[in-house]
Amino acid sequence: MAEDLQIVLGNKKEQYQNLIPQIKGLLTGEPDLIANLANIAAALKEQFGWFWVGFYIVKNDELVLGPFQGPVACTRIKKGRGVCGSSWEKAETIIVTDVEKFPGHIACSSLSKSEIVVPLFKNGIVWGVLDVDSELLDQFNKNDQLYLEQIVALIEL
Ligand code: SME
């Protein structure tokens, strides 16, 4: 597929529905994990303009920074720490409407105000997380969860 993204305006559902087939196209025929994570982060950032979009990957019992789009970020997060470490520990998606109210939130940037973290599974084990941050409060809901979980399910390890 061509390496350019067709961006649509409209509501978030329409944006996701336009984006998901394009992400499938980007992943098709490309077996390299880092390349695929990089393109997913770029596609999400380009379509939605979020502050930070990226992946952390489990390595030696820590989350280590992977491909991302946005400002520089913390490189290592322990299990149970912050939103990412909690999503990993609980093996579930976490939506935070106001990061200041999340106990133990790791502030990579004081500009980040709300976030969603989606775990990546293989055979029921979490091998990484997708972390999306916004500089606005309350930017993520169950719809984002639904579509972002569909997107990460496309990743083959
Ligand atoms: N906010 C995250 C840390 C990662 S950065 O925001 C990129 C957390 O508390 O897990």
Side-chain angles (χ1 to χ4, degrees):
M1 112 155 225
E3 280 83 12
D4 57 337
L5 204 67
Q6 185 220 338
I7 300 298
V8 288
L9 303 174
N11 65 36
K12 249 187 178 178
K13 189 176 166 193
E14 290 163 344
Q15 293 183 59
Y16 278 115
Q17 287 176 346
N18 176 69
L19 189 63
I20 287 174
Q22 297 189 77
I23 289 179
K24 278 186 191 157
L26 286 166
L27 303 187
T28 299
E30 177 49 71
D32 189 87
L33 176 65
I34 299 302
N36 288 334
L37 298 182
N39 261 343
I40 292 172
L44 288 169
K45 173 85 168 155
E46 207 177 335
Q47 174 63 60
F48 294 103
W50 287 316
F51 178 67
W52 198 92
V53 181
F55 293 92
Y56 282 89
I57 299 169
V58 175
K59 292 183 184 170
N60 297 324
D61 217 35
E62 272 184 325
L63 287 170
V64 180
L65 184 62
F68 71 96
Q69 295 272 319
V72 294
C74 337
T75 54
R76 288 171 192 272
I77 298 173
K78 296 215 180 296
K79 199 178 218 171
R81 291 277 331 277
V83 189
C84 292
S86 300
S87 173
W88 173 24
E89 185 171 54
K90 294 186 169 137
E92 62 188 34
T93 296
I94 299 181
I95 296 169
V96 180
T97 55
D98 179 351
V99 296
E100 285 184 14
K101 296 189 178 137
F102 187 92
H105 171 255
I106 302 163
C108 287
S109 164
S110 59
L111 293 174
S112 175
K113 297 278 188 282
S114 61
E115 71 178 280
I116 181 168
V117 178
V118 181
L120 315 174
F121 292 98
K122 170 137 182 162
N123 300 330
I125 306 289
V126 179
W127 61 268
V129 299
L130 167 65
D131 179 13
V132 182
D133 295 359
S134 171
E135 68 277 63
L136 302 173
L137 287 167
D138 199 9
Q139 288 302 293
F140 305 102
N141 59 32
K142 289 280 174 196
N143 268 324
D144 297 283
Q145 175 172 356
L146 177 81
Y147 289 113
L148 292 174
E149 287 179 354
Q150 284 179 23
I151 289 169
V152 300
L154 300 172
I155 302 166
E156 287 180 19
L157 197 55

